[in-house]
Amino acid sequence: MVHYKLTYFDARGRAELSRLIFAVAGVEYGDVRISFEEWGKLKPNTPFGSLPYLEVDGKTIAQSQAIVRFLANVFDLAGADHFEKAKVDEAAECALEILTDAVKVTFAPEAEKEAKTKEFVSKTWPSHVVKIEKILASNPTGFLVGSKLTYADLALFSILDTVCSFEGATVSGPIAQHRKKVGAVPAIAKWISARPKNTF
């Protein structure tokens, strides 16, 4: 049996997609959550001075998207063939751009947060919606790519909690339908109900 250990802060952030992959795969792993106080001591001993990182039978993989793609390939959530894998990566990158923009709002200085939130809600989020809806419209299955769940679907699902936490941001139409479809997967629903309650 392979032993996995994922180390990140006590937050969803850039590790939640990996956690969702583990949940869908039904694979146990060490979900190591460290405090910001502990991070200072741990940082010099990490591969690149960043989190998350994944240990696989003692071997380490760093960088969140390298971890995600590794797990997606191991657990058959990366696409059916080479072309589909590329389209899954493409869709996932679109979803992960939302996370990048959301991080800028979440960790903005308090004096700037209100303005950045308004900009995200009025301009940034709608621009992402156009791209995601275009991807969904191109695939009649209700998934982003192909005929079954992939890590791209999990990437989009994962970030929508944060999007909805911003005042004025709404999720509707095809994206809301996709969110409902993914959230109804029993393993995902189970993880959502049991996971620690984090704001980001």
Side-chain angles (χ1 to χ4, degrees):
M1 180 181 291
V2 179
H3 293 88
Y4 299 96
K5 184 167 73 171
L6 181 68
T7 300
Y8 191 62
F9 300 109
D10 185 18
R12 296 192 307 273
R14 297 192 181 279
E16 192 63 13
L17 178 49
S18 293
R19 295 178 184 132
L20 282 167
I21 292 173
F22 277 122
V24 170
V27 172
E28 293 187 3
Y29 67 104
D31 186 11
V32 180
R33 296 168 181 254
I34 67 165
S35 67
F36 288 103
E37 290 75 22
E38 294 172 307
W39 173 229
K41 294 180 180 179
L42 179 63
K43 185 175 181 177
N45 299 316
T46 62
F48 301 124
S50 62
L51 295 177
Y53 64 89
L54 176 71
E55 294 171 78
V56 185
D57 284 342
K59 295 180 287 188
T60 303
I61 302 171
Q63 302 291 42
S64 59
Q65 294 320 300
I67 294 168
V68 163
R69 287 191 293 269
F70 169 80
L71 293 175
N73 278 288
V74 169
F75 300 128
D76 193 26
L77 290 166
D81 55 38
H82 290 306
F83 184 78
E84 190 170 291
K85 286 176 186 289
K87 297 302 288 185
V88 170
D89 287 343
E90 177 185 82
E93 288 296 330
C94 286
L96 291 165
E97 285 175 0
I98 305 171
L99 176 60
T100 298
D101 288 330
V103 167
K104 295 174 185 176
V105 178
T106 300
F107 293 101
E110 283 302 318
E112 301 174 16
K113 187 161 289 189
E114 183 177 353
K116 286 188 178 295
T117 299
K118 288 181 178 178
E119 182 179 12
F120 180 90
V121 170
S122 65
K123 296 180 181 180
T124 309
W125 171 235
S127 72
H128 287 301
V129 168
V130 170
K131 289 188 285 186
I132 297 298
E133 287 188 344
K134 184 176 181 179
I135 296 171
L136 286 168
S138 70
N139 189 30
T141 67
F143 295 113
L144 286 169
V145 180
S147 59
K148 66 177 186 177
L149 186 77
T150 68
Y151 88 90
D153 298 298
L154 298 178
L156 178 58
F157 178 84
S158 179
I159 189 54
L160 292 181
D161 282 340
T162 299
V163 170
C164 290
S165 73
F166 297 143
E167 185 176 355
T170 58
V171 174
S172 59
I175 295 177
Q177 293 169 18
H178 178 270
R179 187 187 192 193
K180 183 177 180 180
K181 182 181 182 74
V182 175
V185 174
I188 295 176
K190 181 180 179 182
W191 167 248
I192 298 301
S193 67
R195 70 182 180 184
K197 307 302 180 187
N198 301 116
T199 57
F200 177 76

